[in-house]
Amino acid sequence: GPLPLRAASRSVSVAGRALPLPATEFDLLVLLLREAGRVVSKERISQSVLGRALGPFDRSIDVHVSNLRRKLGDAADGSSPITTIHRSGYLMRKLGEEA
């Protein structure tokens, strides 16, 4: 697909170019892609990716998602492939899905 991800080598490429990601962002991308089309709660992301409970004022997930969005770039229609679902979490659009 347009976002080849190889879990064994922990590598991903966008538009044919390698995209170096820190471990946390790579794990976040894997989780969001695995759950593409479904909302993933910030609590689940924190537990799965960071290995800890989400604190009441913890913004680390938001920062990691923002970094990942910037690195992935926009979809062909100009929108981000990762959507914020207010008070719920994040949604990775299925590949090829319009915003």
Side-chain angles (χ1 to χ4, degrees), residues 32 35-40 81-85 89-93:
L32 291 173
E35 298 296 327
R38 293 184 289 233
V39 177
V40 181
I82 304 171
T83 303
T84 301
I85 307 300
Y90 294 97
L91 172 76
M92 172 70 83
R93 289 196 334 241

Side-chain angles (χ1 to χ4, degrees), residues 64-97:
H64 289 300
V65 169
S66 177
N67 290 338
L68 191 55
R69 278 182 177 138
R70 182 176 38 79
K71 291 174 183 178
L72 290 175
D74 291 337
D77 64 2
S79 66
S80 173
I82 304 171
T83 303
T84 301
I85 307 300
H86 186 65
R87 296 189 180 257
S88 293
Y90 294 97
L91 172 76
M92 172 70 83
R93 289 196 334 241
K94 291 183 180 181
L95 298 177
E97 185 178 81

